[in-house]
Amino acid sequence: MTTIAVRGGTVIDSTGSRRADVVVSDEGVILAVGAGLDGDRRLDASGGIVSPGLVDLHAHLRQPGREDAETIATGARGAALGGFTAVVAMPNTTPVIDTAAVVTEVRQLAADACCEVYPSAAITVGRKGEALTPMAELVGLGVRIFTDDGDGVQDAAVMRNALEYARGLGHLTGGQPVVLAQHCEVAALTRGGYMHEGEWSSRLGIGGQPAEAEELMVMRDIALSRLTGGRVHFQHLSTAGSVAMVRAAKNAGLPVTAEATPHHFTLTDECCAAYDPVFKVHPPLRTAADTAAVRAGLADGTIDAIATDHAPHTTADKEKPFDAAPPGMLGLETAFAVARTELDLPVEAVLALMSWRPAAVAGIADRHGGPVAPGAPANLCVIDPDAEWTVSGAAMASPSRNTPFEGRAVRGRVRHTIRRGEAVVVDGEAQA
Amino acid sequence: MADRERRMAVPAGVFRARTRVMDAADVSRAIRRMAHEILERNHGLGSVMLIGLQTGGVHLAHSIGTDLEAIEGGRVPVGSLDVALHRDDIGLRPVLPQAVTDIPVDLDDRVVVLVDDVLFTGRTVRAALDALHTWGRPRAVQLAVMVDRGHRELPIRPDFVGKNLPTRKDEMVDVGPDGVDLGDVS
Amino acid sequence: MSRHLLSISDLGADRIEAILDLSEKFAEVGQRKIPRVPALRGKTVAWLFYEDSTRTRLSFETAAKRLSADTMNFSVSTSSVNKGESLRDTVETIDAMGIDAIVVRHGCAGVPHQVGGWIDASVINAGDGWHEHPTQALLDLYTARTRLGDLAGKKVTIVGDIRHSRVARSNVLGFSAVGASVTLVAPGPLLPPSLEGWPVSVSHDLDATLADTDICYLLRMQQERQKRALVPSLREFRATYGIDARRADLLGDDALIMHPGPMNRGVEIDGDVADRPNAVITEQVANGVAVRMAVLFLLLGSGLDQLDDQMAAA
């Protein structure tokens, strides 16, 4: 057994903040937390924050199917560089993650990755919105989140059925909830739309997606949660109306959770004015009033987590005409810094939104995001909360370059990432 | 025309007169003489028409036309031509919307007298000859200028000259109804 | 903006007026026995049309030829585009042949902007999706100015499918830039979802608007751009928003009827209305050549920057 001592930092976790060194073993557990500790190897954390590793509820790793845009290996490396020790991989791959075989394939591909990859699976076969996937079998393989992400489940009866079915799977998970995560979008209202519908889409002559297309499905699924008692997680909330409805649902005691992305609290539809498809994303960038509402939702706890919706696309795909280019943005390597820079929140609150609260939503709180204490899994990151740097897509681990924050000066940088007791990022450099 | 337009094309340039070469009376005498020479060469007005080159030649063409009509009686058509689109140095000079091209009669079988204020390199006249054929096929083209200042870059020779004026290449000649000045641009 | 013409909003009132002034010069060239000047000799202009448009392409091509430019037609239907070549590769291939300008039409808004970022040649937007068609607006302004004089204070009514119309977007910007007031008349689904920032007023009552209109601009009913039927029927559209003889009579005698073509006779405009003396639809086509000559000449010959110098010197 070899050990690593993370020395000189301030530990921040869900229990609070304290100066402490942390010693981890290569067997993946935290051995000791305290003053004046040492190990076989030392990692300098002075001036930095030692936090439970970050958890991303929403990343597209593109494998299997689009290995030219991203692989599980490159995506996990980018995640580790961004401070993440766990990411939930979205199932809209080719083939779709909707069978035990594909779940197993993704797990095998992720076995040696820099970051733990938890595949989510589709709610419906082929993400077609019709027949349910073998959810019990997939839960047996460790899947905790089901989503047709990229599309919402359009048929209310199918969604109701899925919620009722998922509610009965708790006995397979030791009581952990099985979560249905929804990309809320009424397709009938977004067809032919490529950006937020409003002032800018009208001026630019681009077909729009109204905010109400998202809000109608948020409204419907809140109602279905009430009807079934089923747990709904709302993905990438982007509108003021959605945030308000989720707030009201939580106040009413419904079992709903929500996430928001850095781009939805930072960028607006005006970014599309130069017709650069790098700014094309689903749900689309909205108005300043919406970004303000998302920030408020993050601040008051309505929104549980910051998720990246990391969506790599090749440069060739992002140079297509705006209508034809695929939606999505890189996010893993910039999420913490953008959140730290843009949100008027203390760093503890940002870490809560990016580590322990998403870990709870994903049902992996036993492995990630838990308090930094002896005996706990050694999934940690060390962050310089005030280090300034400039975003560059070319410098990222992903073979894709589609960051909407290119050239932006940001604050807060990941120094080290430790996954299962192994230093996968040291001084901002990936070790594998 | 050449000098005036060049002055407009050099926004920073201000013309400073150094020597008065012709006064207003000299200019009108020269115009009258050129009108007589045009009549003499063409045995009367016949099919003569005048075309002033934009911008400096237009006023002069009208003055010559007035004298022709006074001497001979009858009417002589006077037009104007902007050669900007036919130049070989497009992009170096602005094209002025107010410099109108107006060819009032059919050019076929006419004797066209091109009129300009100053003959210098000859490039404006070459462009004018090029432009004329898009309007028709004159029987003959002749050239009248108030000042021939030399320094030709093309084999072009005037038929009627107000005054031959030896100049340095960097000097400027300014022709107006009230006189002709030699000077510099700074 | 000196290299490209992508949007009317790139120009501003002074530049628009200067382009219209210059267009008169090129209209004069069109009157000559041999309507050709050597102004763009040695320059090469390429056409990249991803949408069929015989009239716009012919108009640009005539303009280029009258300026003695060489032209190169990249026909999308017979080219590598159908073999899966990307837009950028296609554009860079054309650029590599040595061109001075590329005239782009595409069904997606913004493509000319994207092309402009990839190559050194001038890009002229000949229509991009629902976004803009700047030379159409310039020729419309030229036509209206030729007939009515100064357009400041004139009342322009644009009727029809505004939501899907690049002509409408360019003309709203163009007419308002020169001081005209613009009213849009359309059924709700054919208006843009938001008119925030548009210098226009909106009406659904065509009859009431026509009596106080100097220019009645009819848009083509873009049935091919509507992903689904947005109005109950063409019959109902014609009854509510089409210009028939009765409605044409509501216009003053001097009021112009304009249409960018191709017309759907019997839908947005009745056949005999299009042939009235105050309908200037064929004049628009004729003026298109002169205006496009002015645009090509400014971008390739002297540059729009020189236009600014000229305006400053004047």
Side-chain angles (χ1 to χ4, degrees):
Chain A
M1 183 183 85
T2 57
T3 59
I4 301 173
V6 181
R7 293 161 32 115
T10 301
V11 173
I12 296 179
D13 59 20
S14 59
T15 66
S17 162
R18 62 224 172 258
R19 292 295 296 265
D21 300 338
V22 180
V23 179
V24 301
S25 82
D26 61 357
E27 286 165 357
V29 292
I30 296 172
L31 296 177
V33 179
L37 301 178
D38 210 344
D40 300 331
R41 182 179 176 194
R42 295 172 178 176
L43 286 180
D44 177 29
S46 55
I49 291 168
V50 181
S51 162
L54 307 184
V55 175
D56 186 11
L57 289 171
H58 196 141
H60 297 271
L61 301 183
R62 299 291 183 233
Q63 197 175 6
R66 282 307 298 266
E67 290 80 359
D68 54 336
E70 189 83 285
T71 62
I72 288 175
T74 59
R77 190 175 303 132
L81 287 165
F84 293 95
T85 54
V87 300
V88 177
M90 290 295 109
N92 62 337
T93 48
T94 312
V96 173
I97 305 178
D98 60 0
T99 62
V102 185
V103 170
T104 305
E105 181 190 353
V106 170
R107 284 198 177 285
Q108 282 166 355
L109 288 165
D112 299 324
C114 294
C115 171
E116 292 206 45
V117 175
Y118 292 89
S120 59
I123 297 171
T124 63
V125 175
R127 298 169 51 246
K128 288 185 162 57
E130 294 159 4
L132 297 190
T133 54
M135 292 171 82
E137 181 185 12
L138 300 176
V139 165
L141 289 170
V143 174
R144 293 291 177 272
I145 292 182
F146 290 84
T147 175
D148 277 3
D149 182 51
D151 299 297
V153 176
Q154 299 297 314
D155 186 322
V158 172
M159 189 63 187
R160 172 190 180 167
N161 192 34
L163 283 164
E164 287 176 333
Y165 189 73
R167 204 187 48 193
L169 299 174
H171 65 285
L172 299 173
T173 66
Q176 289 274 13
V178 170
V179 178
L180 297 196
Q182 265 282 55
H183 172 140
C184 287
E185 180 181 316
V186 174
L189 287 175
T190 59
R191 204 166 289 134
Y194 310 101
M195 66 176 291
H196 174 65
E197 180 178 296
E199 179 184 353
W200 281 98
S201 71
S202 298
R203 194 176 297 174
L204 296 170
I206 293 177
Q209 305 186 345
E212 287 72 10
E214 173 176 315
E215 291 161 2
L216 281 171
M217 195 171 281
V218 170
M219 186 187 292
R220 184 200 77 180
D221 287 352
I222 287 171
L224 291 177
S225 175
R226 186 187 302 119
L227 176 66
T228 62
R231 181 152 197 144
V232 180
H233 174 69
F234 293 105
Q235 298 179 301
H236 40 52
L237 287 190
S238 69
T239 83
S242 298
V243 175
M245 285 188 283
V246 171
R247 184 178 290 123
K250 285 189 159 187
N251 287 339
L254 294 175
V256 299
T257 55
E259 68 186 36
T261 70
H263 48 270
H264 284 123
F265 60 71
T266 309
L267 306 174
T268 64
D269 54 348
E270 189 178 352
C271 292
C272 301
Y275 296 98
D276 184 347
V278 163
F279 295 100
K280 181 177 174 183
V281 64
H282 285 175
L285 301 176
R286 308 271 186 196
T287 67
D290 294 306
T291 62
V294 171
R295 285 166 191 244
L298 288 164
D300 73 3
T302 300
I303 300 172
D304 300 83
I306 294 168
T308 65
D309 197 2
H310 178 81
H313 291 291
T314 62
T315 300
D317 273 344
K318 279 294 192 182
E319 284 177 345
K320 289 179 176 174
F322 200 94
D323 294 10
M329 303 170 163
L330 296 185
L332 286 168
E333 293 191 49
T334 50
F336 177 79
V338 171
R340 171 83 180 126
T341 310
E342 294 291 331
L343 294 177
D344 188 19
L345 291 177
V347 70
E348 294 83 354
V350 173
L351 291 171
L353 287 165
M354 295 189 72
S355 179
W356 39 100
R357 293 181 65 196
V361 172
I364 57 173
D366 55 331
R367 304 197 47 85
H368 298 271
V372 179
N379 294 312
L380 302 169
C381 62
V382 177
I383 289 170
D384 290 313
D386 297 310
E388 294 185 356
W389 58 288
T390 302
V391 176
S392 161
M396 291 182 183
S398 175
S400 296
R401 298 281 174 266
N402 54 310
T403 172
F405 300 111
E406 182 74 33
R408 182 181 284 241
V410 290
R411 185 162 66 100
R413 181 151 220 187
V414 174
R415 196 191 298 180
H416 314 302
T417 305
I418 293 169
R419 173 229 187 214
R420 280 194 240 146
E422 184 190 350
V424 289
V425 172
V426 174
D427 290 324
E429 300 285 339
Q431 303 299 296
Chain B
M1 107 135 216
D3 287 77
R4 279 222 181 146
E5 192 180 285
R6 187 166 297 123
R7 206 163 73 222
M8 293 182 191
V10 185
V14 176
F15 177 75
R16 278 211 195 81
R18 213 167 0 90
T19 317
R20 170 126 288 211
V21 180
M22 301 169 81
D23 61 18
D26 295 332
V27 169
S28 64
R29 276 193 288 272
I31 288 171
R32 181 157 294 256
R33 174 173 53 75
M34 283 196 281
H36 279 290
E37 287 174 2
I38 289 166
L39 291 170
E40 192 179 339
R41 163 83 73 91
N42 295 297
H43 310 289
L45 269 183
S47 58
V48 168
M49 75 169 295
L50 303 174
I51 295 180
L53 300 189
Q54 289 281 12
T55 51
V58 176
H59 184 271
L60 192 58
H62 282 281
S63 301
I64 294 174
T66 307
D67 279 9
L68 286 175
E69 288 172 2
I71 297 163
E72 197 73 4
R75 304 280 302 157
V76 57
V78 180
S80 63
L81 177 61
D82 178 18
V83 301
L85 301 175
H86 296 267
R87 300 198 69 96
D88 56 13
D89 54 359
I90 277 174
L92 300 178
R93 297 152 184 262
V95 173
L96 305 169
Q98 65 272 26
V100 177
T101 293
D102 173 29
I103 308 292
V105 293
D106 193 337
L107 296 188
D108 288 358
D109 273 337
R110 286 272 180 179
V111 173
V112 172
V113 180
L114 293 176
V115 181
D116 206 354
D117 53 356
V118 178
L119 179 60
F120 185 27
T121 63
R123 288 181 190 270
T124 302
V125 174
R126 185 214 58 79
L129 291 170
D130 186 25
L132 275 186
H133 83 86
T134 67
W135 293 94
R137 185 178 180 282
R139 181 150 53 81
V141 182
Q142 298 163 4
L143 176 62
V145 299
M146 178 55 71
V147 173
D148 179 354
R149 58 171 293 193
H151 303 288
R152 213 79 74 243
E153 293 169 2
L154 294 171
I156 282 169
R157 178 186 58 77
D159 299 275
F160 315 104
V161 181
K163 184 174 183 63
N164 283 296
L165 180 63
T167 59
R168 287 199 322 272
K169 232 180 163 174
D170 58 346
E171 287 174 310
M172 281 298 248
V173 179
D174 183 66
V175 176
D178 56 339
V180 174
D181 293 300
L182 182 62
D184 306 286
V185 167
S186 58
Chain C
M1 147 75 204
S2 55
R3 222 158 29 102
H4 307 314
L5 179 60
L6 304 177
S7 162
I8 288 289
S9 61
D10 297 337
L11 295 172
D14 290 348
R15 280 179 163 186
I16 289 172
E17 296 281 2
I19 291 171
L20 302 188
D21 289 346
L22 201 58
S23 299
E24 286 177 23
K25 253 191 135 51
F26 291 103
E28 174 266 297
V29 172
Q31 305 301 314
R32 299 183 188 179
K33 277 189 180 165
I34 303 173
R36 181 183 287 246
V37 292
L40 294 185
R41 207 157 44 188
K43 304 280 188 184
T44 302
V45 183
W47 321 118
L48 182 60
F49 275 52
Y50 282 83
E51 274 187 345
D52 291 339
S53 166
T54 310
R55 57 178 58 217
T56 303
R57 197 176 54 74
L58 285 180
S59 178
F60 266 111
E61 196 154 340
T62 306
K65 287 188 167 149
R66 286 186 176 175
L67 292 167
S68 306
D70 294 319
T71 59
M72 188 156 62
N73 189 6
F74 193 87
S75 170
V76 170
S77 57
T78 59
S79 75
S80 49
V81 170
N82 285 342
K83 300 170 190 159
E85 188 178 56
S86 77
L87 174 66
R88 180 165 188 164
D89 286 341
T90 300
V91 166
E92 289 184 343
T93 300
I94 296 172
D95 191 43
M97 293 175 194
I99 57 166
D100 299 285
I102 186 165
V103 180
V104 180
R105 166 167 290 199
H106 200 287
C108 293
V111 166
H113 287 73
Q114 291 174 292
V115 172
W118 295 331
I119 59 174
D120 292 330
S122 293
V123 177
I124 298 172
N125 181 0
D128 61 329
W130 311 342
H131 174 230
E132 278 222 45
H133 191 358
T135 59
Q136 176 72 43
L138 290 169
L139 74 88
D140 291 333
L141 290 169
Y142 181 82
T143 304
R145 194 179 79 161
T146 305
R147 282 288 193 118
L148 302 179
D150 187 6
L151 297 177
K154 291 285 188 290
K155 294 188 170 120
V156 182
T157 301
I158 302 179
V159 189
D161 183 359
I162 290 150
R163 175 181 280 207
H164 302 99
S165 173
R166 52 191 170 219
V167 173
R169 280 181 179 74
S170 286
N171 267 318
V172 165
L173 292 169
F175 276 110
S176 52
V178 299
S181 62
V182 180
T183 302
L184 306 180
V185 181
L190 298 184
L191 285 169
S194 165
L195 289 169
E196 213 173 316
W198 291 45
V200 297
S201 52
V202 173
S203 169
H204 300 288
D205 183 351
L206 184 55
D207 285 7
T209 312
L210 287 178
D212 191 25
T213 289
D214 298 303
I215 297 164
C216 175
Y217 199 104
L218 305 174
L219 295 169
R220 195 178 131 67
M221 190 67 172
Q222 309 244 9
Q223 295 161 73
E224 70 278 11
R225 288 189 198 283
Q226 295 177 12
K227 313 241 168 181
R228 61 182 73 179
L230 298 175
V231 294
S233 67
L234 288 180
R235 181 169 167 272
E236 180 154 313
F237 177 82
R238 176 174 178 270
T240 327
Y241 296 99
I243 300 286
D244 54 15
R246 182 190 64 80
R247 287 214 172 95
D249 288 341
L250 297 176
L251 287 164
D253 291 341
D254 297 331
L256 304 182
I257 296 171
M258 302 181 75
H259 190 295
M263 289 182 281
N264 295 313
R265 284 189 194 244
V267 181
E268 67 265 0
I269 186 165
D270 270 16
D272 55 337
V273 172
D275 302 324
R276 290 190 178 202
N278 60 333
V280 293
I281 297 155
T282 51
E283 274 173 50
Q284 290 170 265
V285 176
N287 292 335
V289 175
V291 170
R292 289 178 175 122
M293 286 173 80
V295 167
L296 284 169
F297 179 74
L298 280 170
L299 291 177
L300 297 183
S302 56
L304 279 183
D305 288 341
Q306 197 140 3
L307 197 64
D308 293 340
D309 293 345
Q310 238 168 283
M311 291 188 303

